[in-house]
Amino acid sequence: MATLGDIAVGAAINILSAFAFFLIFAVLRIQPVNDRVYFPKWYLKGLRSSPLHAGAFISKFVNLDFRSYARFLNWMPAALRMPEPELIDHAGLDSAVYLRIYLIGLKIFTPIACLAFAVMVPVNWTNGTLEHSNLEYSNVDKLSISNIPIGSRRFWTHLVMAYVFTFWTCYILKKEYETVASMRLHFLASEHRRPDQFTVLVRNVPPDPDESVSELVEHFFLVNHPDHYLTHQVVYNANKLSSLVEEKKRLRNWLDFYQLRYSRNQSKRPVLKTGFLGLWGNRVDAIDFYTLKIERLSNETSSEREKISKNPKSIMPAAFVSFKTRWAAAVCAQTQQTRNPTTWLTEWAPEPCDIYWDNLAIPYVSLTIRRLIVAVAFFFLTFFFMIPIAFVQSLANIEGIEKAVPLLKPIIELKFIKSVIQGFLPGIALKIFLIFLPTILMLMSKFEGFSSISTLERRSATRYYIFQFINVFLGSIITGTAFQQLDNFIHQSANEIPKTIGVSIPMKATFFITYIMVDGWAGVAGEILRLKPLIIYHLRNFFLVKTEKDREEAMDPGSLGFNTGEPQIQLYFLLGLVYAVVTPVLLPFIIVFFALAYVVYRHQIINVYNQEYESAAAFWPDIHGRIVTALVVSQLLLMGLLSTKRAAQSTPLLIMLPVLTIWFHMFCKGRYEPAFVTYPLQEAMMKDTLERAREPNLNLKGFLQNAYVHPVFKGGDDDGESDVVSVEDLKEEEPSIVPTKRQSRRNTPLPSKQSGSLAIVDQD
């Protein structure tokens, strides 16, 4: 069992690791050759120029100003200097609100930690329960609730503190929800014009034998939204074309590599083998080989483009429909279009850069089946993944290593080595095993068929949080695999489950402290080093870059990675709220994480990350819901723990806590969540009125017409081919009659010309 000494050794190792990362970062960031790696956002904004163009040859690559090395921590105050309104203008609302999650952690846990150390730690420490027992314990356990004797009146202190911590957490959550909702509405009101403000995504367009999807969509909205419909763009199944374009880009990179290699040494043409990974096969001229492959692929790409534009089967029963005003788009997106609620489904269109185009080609009817498959797969992933984690965790301790490798026993028993293993190894083992999980979960979300990147990330984040709750939290507290846990839970009454988990919670405090230090301290410090992007950039710069444009494209700044970062933060909220009453000594480690992460990610958002999309903080209800869930879990586990301590008189009072917390969540959900789900018509009308006053001659149709054309049709290919499926201009801006070719009345049941309708049937 880990002692305070082991934790101190682990803390020292992680503090030194974090300091080393910061020191290496301080040196690398001021080198001119690394400028694009550590400040790519400023290059994208055109506000920073490359330092490689000026000065002496050596100074282009190495910083010779030795005074700058002494100020290696000056990036921290610089990261905190930018005010939040300026940060929103610079990086967007999503990034600014993401940082507020760390601030919430500080606002919640700093006062709680002060109160816990002033009241609860003395109450726990001044007992001799563990000293007079036969149990194996550590100094950390003497600071926890485990040191309180069974049936003691001192448990009233923990009960009162549970109420205080709950009310404080709810107060902070309400204030933040109110603030973020206000920020979102203000951002939407002040934001520049974007295509998604005027556009809805229409899914499950019913088939019609007489009209194409494009004609059908146009007719439907001219009939049902005659004063507001502006234009539309049907959705094409361009997945194959997109893969061809990506393959062509890959081959182009290889061709650039060999051409650059040949330009540096023209005495010999580069050659390669045509077999697997270039390990065997015929030897051919590399430049000619890739040139020929690119030519063939260009012909195939052109053929696929033409096929898509002429084949009706390439058109999906979906479309992006744009309106003349935001108000009209809001009405359409938030209302039912027909009697049949399963057809003509409308929702807000994602902004163009947020669309995950591959999933738009998935038939709508298959989405339910896909989501069922993923739900089953996620269930088995969650419970099977615990087996390798439990195996690694068993090896990452003294007994496990000595059993696996008996020869190492004399070395392991050395005090320093033993402290390192117990204070560092379990956390790093768990961290390594979780590296591949986000990729698996993102693939699952993509298979489900969501149409926007933001939704994919939020869905993946939800699953990551569930996984961590079951495997990292519950799995680390309760011994055995997750399937064994599931079997135990099935065969015991529901009120026994909190007791089972509650008894184990105090004993696992030291493990979670080591995990927080490894993942939260050293892990966050490693984030700022950007080792992987640094290596990739220099490899691309050496092997592929021929022009300044190539150099600009060699650095991908990346984005926040909401699907991985946010669930990790939520795990710390869960640990902090669960252990605040049980083992308060864990709280300072969490506070250090939130403070360090806030500074690091603020620096990254200002200087590095370029967010792919802007959802205007649409993820905030998820954040609020998970913190409330963590609060309820902490209350239920405390009830289970106190019931084992024979503090039965406290149970009725504790039952009120989860009830009040759930009521609080429902209040916040009803009061603030609509701002994140719907767009108020009053706000939309105000924005439209202001825009008409400022730009009376705005050509909105020209702005929207090709906004939602698939990227592969926008001339992004090397061939520079134009958009072959762009929307044609409507001849009449506000038609008083609706032209149609239809004979069927299934989709828009209006009478034909013969029965006196305003609809005109084309007699061709």
Side-chain angles (χ1 to χ4, degrees):
M1 181 176 293
T3 64
L4 281 176
D6 298 332
I7 293 176
V9 171
I13 292 173
N14 285 284
I15 289 172
L16 289 174
S17 300
F19 185 80
F21 286 141
F22 287 144
L23 195 61
I24 296 170
F25 164 70
V27 173
L28 292 177
R29 72 186 284 267
I30 60 176
Q31 306 307 318
V33 73
N34 297 327
D35 204 57
R36 287 186 183 273
V37 178
Y38 294 110
F39 302 96
K41 188 157 195 164
W42 298 102
Y43 282 92
L44 291 173
K45 288 179 171 287
L47 299 175
R48 194 179 183 96
S49 58
S50 175
L52 300 179
H53 297 310
F57 179 77
I58 296 179
S59 63
K60 289 182 179 181
F61 300 95
V62 180
N63 189 342
L64 300 179
D65 180 10
F66 295 103
R67 290 174 298 178
S68 62
Y69 291 90
R71 303 188 298 269
F72 71 97
L73 288 179
N74 65 349
W75 61 270
M76 288 188 174
L80 298 173
R81 200 171 294 134
M82 182 180 286
E84 189 172 62
E86 186 179 339
L87 181 66
I88 293 173
D89 291 337
H90 176 71
L93 186 64
D94 278 347
S95 298
V97 171
Y98 182 84
L99 289 173
R100 294 187 74 92
I101 307 175
Y102 296 107
L103 284 181
I104 286 184
L106 292 174
K107 291 177 182 178
I108 290 176
F109 291 117
T110 302
I112 285 179
C114 293
L115 192 59
F117 272 81
V119 177
M120 297 180 61
V121 169
V123 170
N124 294 337
W125 179 263
T126 54
N127 283 277
T129 303
L130 292 176
E131 292 179 355
H132 299 95
S133 68
N134 296 323
L135 299 174
E136 184 180 352
Y137 66 93
S138 69
N139 291 330
V140 175
D141 296 323
K142 292 175 68 176
L143 299 174
S144 74
I145 199 173
S146 300
N147 203 32
I148 305 292
I150 293 175
S152 172
R153 292 180 179 271
R154 294 195 177 197
F155 286 120
W156 284 102
T157 306
H158 300 82
L159 176 64
V160 172
M161 287 297 103
Y163 268 88
V164 172
F165 295 166
T166 296
F167 289 154
W168 174 251
T169 302
C170 291
Y171 171 76
I172 294 296
L173 286 176
K174 179 185 178 299
K175 296 291 288 184
E176 285 297 319
Y177 215 149
E178 186 176 4
T179 301
V180 174
S182 177
M183 290 171 64
R184 173 180 166 86
L185 292 176
H186 176 74
F187 179 80
L188 293 174
S190 61
E191 195 179 18
H192 296 300
R193 182 170 54 252
R194 295 193 325 190
D196 54 294
Q197 297 169 348
F198 300 87
T199 307
V200 299
L201 173 60
V202 183
R203 306 288 290 266
N204 212 24
V205 176
D208 190 279
D210 303 315
E211 291 183 334
S212 66
V213 172
S214 181
E215 293 168 332
L216 185 59
V217 168
E218 180 184 30
H219 180 255
F220 180 87
F221 284 94
L222 282 173
V223 168
N224 296 287
H225 299 266
D227 299 325
H228 305 288
Y229 167 77
L230 181 62
T231 185
H232 74 279
Q233 173 62 55
V234 294
V235 174
Y236 287 81
N237 184 354
N239 289 356
K240 182 179 179 181
L241 177 60
S242 181
S243 64
L244 291 174
V245 171
E246 288 300 315
E247 175 66 11
K248 188 175 178 181
K249 288 180 181 178
R250 188 185 69 83
L251 296 176
R252 176 69 66 185
N253 285 335
W254 278 111
L255 179 60
D256 290 343
F257 165 72
Y258 284 112
Q259 286 178 336
L260 185 62
R261 182 172 155 187
Y262 179 62
S263 67
R264 291 172 177 171
N265 181 15
Q266 297 188 4
S267 62
K268 184 179 180 181
R269 300 268 296 183
V271 296
L272 59 81
K273 294 181 180 180
T274 58
F276 178 72
L277 296 178
L279 299 176
W280 57 74
N282 299 327
R283 295 173 66 87
V284 296
D285 184 286
I287 295 177
D288 293 341
F289 175 77
Y290 281 108
T291 301
L292 184 60
K293 290 195 74 169
I294 289 173
E295 288 177 359
R296 290 174 180 171
L297 204 55
S298 295
N299 294 333
E300 192 175 349
T301 301
S302 300
S303 175
E304 182 65 20
R305 283 179 188 272
E306 187 175 355
K307 177 182 175 182
I308 290 174
S309 63
K310 294 181 178 179
N311 186 2
K313 293 183 179 180
S314 298
I315 302 176
M316 304 302 298
F320 292 99
V321 180
S322 298
F323 296 84
K324 297 174 184 176
T325 62
R326 295 172 181 82
W327 183 91
V331 170
C332 182
Q334 297 163 189
T335 54
Q336 182 174 316
Q337 302 303 309
T338 66
R339 293 180 182 177
N340 185 351
T342 64
T343 60
W344 295 101
L345 303 176
T346 55
E347 60 186 83
W348 278 109
E351 60 174 330
C353 59
D354 187 22
I355 297 174
Y356 188 70
W357 292 96
D358 289 355
N359 282 357
L360 289 179
I362 298 174
Y364 186 82
V365 293
S366 69
L367 294 182
T368 303
I369 299 173
R370 284 170 170 261
R371 287 166 193 175
L372 176 61
I373 293 172
V374 169
V376 174
F378 177 67
F379 174 83
F380 283 100
L381 172 70
T382 301
F383 287 95
F384 274 117
F385 210 89
M386 191 58 203
I387 297 174
I389 288 180
F391 175 72
V392 172
Q393 290 287 81
S394 68
L395 294 180
N397 58 61
I398 299 297
E399 295 78 10
I401 295 175
E402 289 179 351
K403 186 176 180 180
V405 189
L407 296 176
L408 296 179
K409 185 174 181 178
I411 300 174
I412 292 173
E413 290 296 332
L414 294 175
K415 186 174 181 180
F416 175 75
I417 301 297
K418 190 174 183 179
S419 297
V420 170
I421 292 174
Q422 292 184 327
F424 183 74
L425 198 57
I428 197 69
L430 182 57
K431 177 71 175 173
I432 291 173
F433 241 93
L434 293 175
I435 287 176
F436 303 103
L437 181 63
T439 303
I440 298 172
L441 297 179
M442 181 56 77
L443 289 174
M444 285 184 168
S445 297
K446 290 178 179 178
F447 180 79
E448 279 187 291
F450 294 104
S451 58
S452 66
I453 299 170
S454 57
T455 308
L456 290 173
E457 290 197 344
R458 287 164 57 192
R459 187 75 166 185
S460 181
T462 300
R463 289 207 171 94
Y464 197 5
Y465 175 71
I466 295 171
F467 182 93
Q468 290 204 112
F469 176 77
I470 294 174
N471 279 328
V472 178
F473 180 68
L474 296 182
S476 298
I477 287 175
I478 305 171
T479 57
T481 67
F483 266 119
Q484 289 174 337
Q485 299 166 28
L486 184 64
D487 182 68
N488 291 335
F489 290 159
I490 289 174
H491 291 89
Q492 63 183 231
S493 61
N495 61 338
E496 292 295 320
I497 295 175
K499 294 182 183 180
T500 304
I501 302 174
V503 170
S504 305
I505 285 175
M507 297 187 295
K508 289 294 182 177
T510 52
F511 166 75
F512 286 120
I513 288 174
T514 62
Y515 180 76
I516 291 169
M517 289 189 295
V518 172
D519 181 70
W521 296 8
V524 168
E527 152 70 25
I528 204 168
L529 189 58
R530 287 177 58 79
L531 189 59
K532 181 180 175 182
L534 179 71
I535 294 172
I536 291 175
Y537 170 74
H538 285 299
L539 287 175
R540 288 179 175 176
N541 195 32
F542 182 79
F543 291 112
L544 297 177
V545 169
K546 293 185 291 184
T547 64
E548 189 62 28
K549 184 175 181 296
D550 295 336
R551 185 169 284 106
E552 292 175 4
E553 295 176 352
M555 184 64 251
D556 177 18
S559 57
L560 272 172
F562 181 84
N563 60 310
T564 56
E566 190 270 340
Q568 283 295 99
I569 303 172
Q570 294 300 332
L571 178 63
Y572 295 115
F573 276 105
L574 176 65
L575 294 176
L577 292 171
V578 167
Y579 280 96
V581 178
V582 177
T583 312
V585 72
L586 181 136
L587 293 176
F589 296 90
I590 290 180
I591 292 172
V592 170
F593 160 76
F594 279 119
L596 185 62
Y598 177 73
V599 177
V600 167
Y601 280 98
R602 212 173 199 275
H603 173 275
Q604 299 296 78
I605 284 171
I606 292 172
N607 298 301
V608 179
Y609 291 138
N610 185 46
Q611 199 65 7
E612 291 182 78
Y613 56 84
E614 178 59 63
S615 70
F619 56 79
W620 192 258
D622 297 338
I623 306 295
H624 177 89
R626 284 172 198 151
I627 298 177
V628 170
T629 301
L631 196 56
V632 172
V633 168
S634 69
Q635 295 158 358
L636 294 176
L637 296 184
L638 180 62
M639 288 171 55
L641 180 59
L642 290 181
S643 65
T644 64
K645 295 286 188 176
R646 297 179 187 171
Q649 67 274 17
S650 64
T651 303
L653 292 174
L654 275 175
I655 289 176
M656 287 300 298
L657 269 183
V659 174
L660 291 173
T661 305
I662 293 171
W663 173 85
F664 163 77
H665 176 63
M666 294 174 65
F667 165 77
C668 290
K669 187 179 180 69
R671 173 64 182 84
Y672 302 113
E673 189 172 326
F676 296 86
V677 179
T678 57
Y679 188 35
L681 296 182
Q682 182 186 32
E683 298 283 336
M685 182 60 76
M686 288 171 57
K687 184 81 171 172
D688 290 330
T689 304
L690 285 172
E691 188 171 74
R692 281 195 297 268
R694 291 171 180 170
E695 301 178 73
N697 299 319
L698 172 66
N699 180 16
L700 186 59
K701 189 171 184 179
F703 173 70
L704 295 171
Q705 185 153 340
N706 292 328
Y708 284 94
V709 174
H710 197 294
V712 294
F713 297 123
K714 287 187 174 181
D717 195 12
D718 297 328
D719 300 335
E721 296 180 46
S722 61
D723 180 3
V724 296
V725 290
S726 62
V727 185
E728 295 181 0
D729 291 336
L730 295 175
K731 293 181 180 180
E732 295 178 332
E733 192 68 25
E734 295 183 357
S736 57
I737 55 177
V738 181
T740 178
K741 297 179 180 179
R742 71 176 46 252
Q743 304 295 328
S744 168
R745 301 184 194 175
R746 271 183 299 173
N747 300 316
T748 50
L750 292 177
S752 67
K753 177 182 176 183
Q754 285 78 8
S755 59
S757 168
L758 288 177
I760 297 176
V761 179
D762 192 339
Q763 298 296 330
D764 289 352

